[in-house]
Amino acid sequence: MSEAGWTRTTCPYCGVGCGVLARPREDGSAEIKGDPEHPANFGRLCSKGSALGETLSLDDRLLHPIVDGQRTSWDEALNLVASRFSQTIAEHGPDSVALYVSGQILTEDYYAANKLMKGFIGTANIDTNSRLCMASSVAGHKRAFGSDTVPGCYEDLDEAEAVVLVGSNLAWCHPVLYQRLRAASQANGTKVVVIDPRSTATCEIADLHLPIKPGTDVALFNGLLTHLARKGQLDEQFVARSTNGFKDALATAEMTCGEVAAITELPEAQIRQLYDLYCTTQKIVTIYSQGVNQSSAGTDKVNAIINCHLATGRIGKPGASPLSVTGQPNAMGGREVGGLANMLAAHMEIDNAEHRRIVQDFWQSPHIAQRAGLKAVDLFKAVGDGRIKALWIMATNPVDSLPDADRVREAIAGCPFVVVSDVTAATDTAALAHVLLPSAAWGEKDGTVTNSERRISRQRAFLSAPGEAVADWWQIAEVAKRLGHGALFSYQDASEIFAEYAELTGTDNGGTRDLDISPLANLTAAEYAELAPFQWPLTGANAAPRKRMFGDGHFYRPDHRAQFIPTPYRPPQSTVDEQFPLVLNTGRIRDQWHTMTRTGKTSRLMSHIAEPFVEIHPEDAAGRQLEAADLAIIESGAGRALARIAISERQRQGSVFVPMHWNDQFAREARIGAAIFANTDPVSGQPELKHTPVRVSRFETAWQAFAVTLAQPNLSQFDYAAAARAGAGYRIEMAGCTEPDDWTALAHAILDPGNTSIDLLAYHDRANVGYRFAGFSGERCVGLFYAARGPVSVARSWAIEQLESAVPPEHRLRLLAGRPGADAVDRGPIVCACFGVGANEIIGAIKEKGCRSVEEVGTCTNAGTNCGSCRSEIGRLLTSMHLDRAG
Ligand code: SF4
């Protein structure tokens, strides 16, 4: 689907699933804009989506198959993978091999991978990094509805009178959906409630924020169920006609407001406000995300929320539903084709003999896995203890993203045979592979993804794959052929896989399963190319898509009734004590994605937050003699990470927040996964990534430094370091525990690692550990280096702009000052990534131009006028400036 060179495709980042229009440029980048016709975003994109065109460079791409560090042919690499898998299976059985895939791959890739493992190798040891993202929602849906069905849709945000967000920083993690909610709230007066231990950017639009004690959401929703029953707010007809188990669930939930307050540490008045809202508002949507799912009680949290919606009949109706929003672009597609170790394709159950028969007959496969395979955390434990001896990792980076990440690294390093398929070899996981297989990236591959509202959209290629990169499904199919299953994996393109999958959804279905797209089973390649976004299932005589499910009270349990699940409150698995008194919460930041393999490629997205940080409440910081911008050690019984201190009242006292993104490619010792215990939810197997007891202490250093340089820095020489793309080169924060013997040699090593004889201008203040260097090649500034005893005070945005600029000799001393002269501007830290507007420019607009609202700042500076993700930061600057003035 291409108009005037534009290709319609879908964003590869979050589960909102925004439509994108892309048009390649001659320099290898691409023009990107939101697709105004896509129903998920109607033309809007967030900062990440808008910057997609800047992430297409080939500099870090894996272009050829590699075996043991040597380039090889596809044939040799695939022969090796097939023979090692086959030999391992012959010697140790099918459960001795595993595949670990990703919500980044397309539905067709997922389908082929599952078919190979569950149908032909005969093991269900295939799991996905989506286990870390939404497995608790899957388990909660299945317990309640009998199927993994999202009942609602995005339109419900426009229709609702109130939206309650639980454990979801929608503003940063699903920004386009957040903008839709903000618009609805402005236009219709939709009430917004945020339930989150932190006061996040999402709270900008909240009428009520409940800073709940981490891990206690079940108690809050049990109390709500009790309250709804006591106030006579149940839909008794719906409960009687369409559900089972209400009495047991209510009996388990029984809890007074006072008891809820004691557990959640919320004021009773706030709790009552929330409960009254559910009593007085018919159209209410409860959105939940990782704050609910990533918990050792994640599945119970999901069911406690669903119980309240079932009890009031608010499910699958316009503006009234629970709505789980997924983190990854194709977590939903993976669920649909059985990407989780405990499911079969087309939403069929591995524990159901009839389902196993249907799938095996359809695939004409020699076996079908008879029982669930190992879920992500257990799968890597099995790699570590030698039960799994051959492992294929596809499009994900478990060395950084899994909990107890150092053990995961040791496990992979010790595994006899590791294959990694990815677009880049520059990941901490790829570094451990025996075989590296180059995959086609976003913009080069073809297939489908499903977003959080069951909408299937096409990802289309608009670039040719570089080098020898190929689709992931092709790699799977080629290994299948070499294992002797060629006839059943002889796909010519992704459309054939999609058609096969569509046919399976209708096979022996007869309305017994939720997922049915079988009217597309005969789709031709040309029709697949033109496939417009649609929501499954396709039902009825016209095969019409369905926006909402369950509004008719028909569910997919055997008696077609929904099941209330008793959800007794239990605290998180590991609790704080004197040694580890703070709760570590991890999550995403506005402009980064996963382990930064794509978003880390553009300086625009690195300009908002360029360094790992630990956000801590002022009281907790003061009690530990920690000051803003100190470096800190975050340490648990599992391991540790280093990050910069950010003190903020938005953080709940007793909790700290660290972003999940940083890893060894971008920093030194900042993998926060190393500090997280591998505790999991007993039903879903999802790890508890938001509740680890830790201590935070100052990381004592003899010096700290900031540099900008054209050369890619080597971080391993420092005790702490974090690097990011910046302007024409890189920015680096670094620190050491002992002073270097020779500062000039260190500055040379950073600014001129290629030893090209640059001119180095220096300023030394030995007594105060003040060392500054500016490097020049001719008139051109090629790097700046500033060191101090503690955190370095430098105008960083300005310093980055000096790279590659021509600086006449008479102006060079200015660079050593680390600040612009009166004739230049220091934009300050970048707030608006879309337009590169810095904090100082916004402050200038407030001070000098009298801006009094986010909109006025936008008119003056453009900040906040594209994706809107920075609006809450602009709002905070406005508040603090006006408070300053009032004071
Ligand atoms: Fe992509 Fe942003 Fe849309 Fe998510 S909200 S799909 S990251 S453009």
Side-chain angles (χ1 to χ4, degrees):
M1 187 177 277
S2 188
E3 291 161 20
W6 291 97
T7 298
R8 282 212 147 83
T9 184
T10 312
C11 176
Y13 293 127
C14 82
V16 179
C18 295
V20 169
L21 292 171
R23 181 162 68 179
R25 292 193 177 100
E26 280 187 1
D27 64 0
S29 67
E31 285 178 78
I32 296 289
K33 57 186 183 183
D35 179 354
E37 291 176 24
H38 198 291
N41 58 318
F42 298 109
R44 273 194 173 279
L45 292 178
C46 74
S47 53
K48 295 185 284 284
S50 304
L52 271 166
E54 299 157 33
T55 63
L56 304 171
S57 64
L58 301 183
D59 47 352
D60 65 340
R61 285 295 296 274
L62 176 61
L63 297 173
H64 308 283
I66 308 250
V67 172
D68 292 330
Q70 302 297 317
R71 179 175 166 179
T72 188
S73 68
W74 265 112
D75 213 31
E76 284 191 19
L78 292 165
N79 287 344
L80 179 67
V81 174
S83 69
R84 287 297 298 264
F85 265 63
S86 160
Q87 189 186 346
T88 307
I89 293 162
E91 286 173 18
H92 305 282
D95 288 340
S96 63
V97 302
L99 192 44
Y100 186 62
V101 295
S102 157
Q104 298 284 303
I105 62 175
L106 305 179
T107 300
E108 292 75 2
D109 303 319
Y110 254 125
Y111 178 86
N114 270 284
K115 182 174 169 179
L116 174 63
M117 291 301 280
K118 289 176 182 154
F120 290 81
I121 288 180
T123 177
N125 279 347
I126 167 166
D127 211 38
T128 157
N129 64 5
S130 300
R131 178 75 59 191
L132 318 180
C133 163
M134 36 50 21
S136 298
S137 281
V138 175
H141 288 160
K142 284 170 64 179
R143 290 204 302 188
F145 311 143
S147 58
D148 174 22
T149 317
V150 174
C153 62
Y154 298 166
E155 244 180 65
D156 290 332
L157 303 192
D158 312 329
E159 303 256 1
E161 297 162 77
V163 173
V164 177
L165 294 138
V166 195
S168 160
N169 182 7
L170 209 68
W172 279 19
C173 301
H174 300 93
V176 166
L177 217 47
Y178 170 77
Q179 292 304 332
R180 187 165 182 165
L181 176 58
R182 189 168 69 86
S185 153
Q186 280 172 347
N188 315 328
T190 313
K191 291 261 177 302
V192 177
V193 179
V194 174
I195 300 169
D196 195 313
R198 292 192 298 149
S199 173
T200 63
T202 306
C203 292
E204 185 214 354
I205 59 165
D207 298 281
L208 176 65
H209 169 221
L210 280 73
I212 191 169
K213 181 182 176 185
T216 63
D217 314 62
V218 165
L220 186 65
F221 282 89
N222 279 351
L224 174 58
L225 189 65
T226 310
H227 188 83
L228 291 167
R230 285 189 187 155
K231 294 285 177 185
Q233 293 293 325
L234 307 177
D235 183 339
E236 286 174 6
Q237 214 184 354
F238 182 84
V239 170
R241 195 189 62 227
S242 301
T243 70
N244 290 321
F246 175 69
K247 278 191 183 154
D248 283 352
L250 181 62
T252 305
E254 284 287 354
M255 203 173 262
T256 65
C257 249
E259 288 167 331
V260 175
I263 293 173
T264 59
E265 296 181 359
L266 291 168
E268 263 191 69
Q270 275 194 352
I271 296 169
R272 284 186 196 284
Q273 248 181 297
L274 174 75
Y275 291 179
D276 288 346
L277 186 74
Y278 275 92
C279 287
T280 55
T281 315
Q282 257 319 303
K283 290 182 159 188
I284 195 159
V285 174
T286 309
I287 294 183
Y288 53 94
S289 190
Q290 269 75 336
V292 165
N293 292 329
Q294 292 176 336
S295 161
S296 57
T299 310
D300 280 354
K301 288 182 184 180
V302 169
N303 285 115
I305 292 169
I306 291 174
N307 282 348
C308 294
H309 277 268
L310 288 175
T312 51
R314 293 183 185 122
I315 191 152
K317 295 183 179 147
S321 221
L323 179 65
S324 130
V325 284
T326 53
Q328 298 206 72
N330 201 28
M332 291 280 282
R335 283 148 76 160
E336 288 154 19
V337 295
L340 295 163
N342 50 320
M343 291 176 75
L344 281 177
H347 273 194
M348 280 184 265
E349 303 286 335
I350 209 161
D351 297 330
N352 181 320
E354 176 60 5
H355 286 180
R356 291 198 302 272
R357 181 200 65 73
I358 294 169
V359 176
Q360 187 175 1
D361 285 355
F362 181 81
W363 282 343
Q364 301 167 44
S365 64
H367 342 259
I368 191 86
Q370 296 294 308
R371 59 178 191 279
L374 294 167
K375 298 173 182 142
V377 169
D378 290 336
L379 189 149
F380 282 91
K381 282 183 183 163
V383 173
D385 66 25
R387 279 175 288 154
I388 287 174
K389 300 172 196 312
L391 172 67
W392 189 350
I393 298 167
M394 190 167 263
T396 183
N397 194 2
V399 165
D400 300 327
S401 51
L402 275 169
D404 208 3
D406 286 345
R407 298 302 90 67
V408 171
R409 170 142 58 192
E410 287 162 18
I412 298 173
C415 184
F417 187 62
V418 178
V419 184
V420 170
S421 296
D422 212 329
V423 301
T424 173
T427 73
D428 296 341
T429 300
L432 305 175
H434 301 101
V435 179
L436 284 168
L437 301 178
S439 294
W442 180 82
E444 301 155 7
K445 58 186 183 178
D446 248 325
T448 54
V449 291
T450 309
N451 74 359
S452 297
E453 59 169 356
R454 288 176 280 104
R455 189 178 298 282
I456 296 178
S457 301
R458 284 292 320 276
Q459 261 195 27
R460 294 184 175 90
F462 56 91
L463 298 165
S464 17
E468 296 181 81
V470 292
D472 293 301
W473 66 259
W474 184 88
Q475 300 173 31
I476 295 279
E478 287 297 314
V479 170
K481 282 179 201 165
R482 286 163 173 79
L483 293 173
H485 313 300
L488 294 154
F489 285 84
S490 59
Y491 307 115
Q492 297 305 303
D493 57 33
S495 76
E496 294 186 3
I497 305 177
F498 183 82
E500 179 181 312
Y501 156 55
E503 187 183 346
L504 176 59
T505 64
T507 302
D508 291 339
N509 187 333
T512 58
R513 305 194 304 268
D514 63 336
L515 172 56
D516 188 350
I517 57 167
S518 56
L520 301 178
N522 296 316
L523 212 64
T524 63
E527 288 165 335
Y528 180 74
E530 296 294 320
L531 189 66
F534 68 95
Q535 282 174 287
W536 67 256
L538 302 175
T539 50
N542 303 323
R546 277 179 66 184
K547 279 185 192 171
R548 300 179 180 87
M549 303 284 281
F550 308 142
D552 57 1
H554 178 98
F555 295 88
Y556 289 92
R557 297 182 64 85
D559 59 2
H560 305 303
R561 287 161 168 261
Q563 181 71 38
F564 281 94
I565 304 294
T567 54
Y569 166 70
R570 56 195 156 83
Q573 206 164 323
S574 301
T575 49
V576 294
D577 57 22
E578 273 184 15
Q579 213 188 345
F580 299 106
L582 297 168
V583 171
L584 166 66
N585 175 10
T586 61
R588 293 179 184 159
I589 59 171
R590 192 187 78 190
D591 291 349
Q592 290 305 326
W593 179 249
H594 280 197
T595 55
M596 299 157 78
T597 43
R598 181 178 288 278
T599 45
K601 291 178 76 166
T602 160
S603 58
R604 176 145 68 115
L605 294 181
M606 295 302 299
S607 63
H608 178 231
I609 298 173
E611 196 181 7
F613 65 90
V614 49
E615 194 175 81
I616 186 167
H617 188 273
E619 297 288 326
D620 289 328
R624 291 163 178 77
Q625 289 78 50
L626 294 168
E627 291 181 9
D630 275 348
L631 288 170
I633 308 170
I634 304 103
E635 199 172 3
S636 74
R640 68 175 222 171
L642 302 177
R644 184 82 62 186
I645 288 280
I647 297 176
S648 170
E649 292 197 341
R650 296 189 299 279
Q651 189 59 235
R652 192 178 191 280
Q653 206 171 338
S655 294
V656 294
F657 174 82
V658 178
M660 58 171 276
H661 310 289
W662 270 271
N663 55 74
D664 288 357
Q665 305 296 316
F666 295 87
R668 191 100 163 87
E669 230 193 313
R671 293 162 54 249
I672 195 62
I676 298 173
F677 290 118
N679 297 336
T680 56
D681 178 281
V683 183
S684 68
Q686 181 152 359
E688 186 150 62
L689 299 174
K690 294 195 174 285
H691 198 287
T692 306
V694 294
R695 61 175 167 242
V696 177
S697 56
R698 191 199 312 272
F699 180 54
E700 300 292 351
T701 55
W703 60 274
Q704 296 191 24
F706 171 75
V708 291
T709 168
L710 292 174
Q712 183 155 18
N714 167 14
L715 305 182
S716 63
Q717 58 192 314
F718 306 110
D719 294 307
Y720 166 81
R725 301 263 181 154
Y730 297 85
R731 57 184 289 170
I732 323 162
E733 305 281 349
M734 64 215 113
C737 297
T738 52
E739 255 199 71
D741 296 333
D742 184 342
W743 282 98
T744 305
L746 178 61
H748 259 296
I750 295 164
L751 304 186
D752 187 25
N755 220 357
T756 55
S757 307
I758 61 170
D759 296 330
L760 205 59
L761 190 64
Y763 163 84
H764 292 182
D765 173 4
R766 284 195 176 77
N768 296 304
V769 193
Y771 296 89
R772 296 177 170 226
F773 299 88
F776 300 93
S777 175
E779 286 219 328
R780 207 165 47 102
C781 171
V782 294
L784 299 166
F785 176 92
Y786 307 92
R789 195 183 297 283
V792 181
S793 175
V794 168
R796 284 167 166 76
S797 296
W798 168 84
I800 290 162
E801 285 162 10
Q802 306 317 302
L803 262 186
E804 290 274 53
S805 68
V807 186
E810 64 273 21
H811 289 157
R812 288 184 174 184
L813 276 177
R814 282 184 183 185
L815 298 188
L816 295 182
R819 313 226 148 261
D823 56 342
V825 181
D826 169 21
R827 291 189 289 159
I830 298 299
V831 173
C832 171
C834 294
F835 294 109
V837 185
N840 291 349
E841 292 168 291
I842 294 167
I843 289 167
I846 299 167
K847 261 189 187 166
E848 284 142 35
K849 299 187 181 159
C851 296
R852 298 197 63 82
S853 67
V854 175
E855 284 68 28
E856 287 177 15
V857 169
T859 305
C860 276
T861 65
N862 268 340
T865 58
N866 183 36
C867 74
S869 304
C870 61
R871 290 176 56 90
S872 63
E873 278 165 278
I874 300 170
R876 280 202 295 272
L877 283 171
L878 274 159
T879 308
S880 67
M881 297 282 299
H882 290 140
L883 283 178
D884 278 357
R885 282 183 182 187

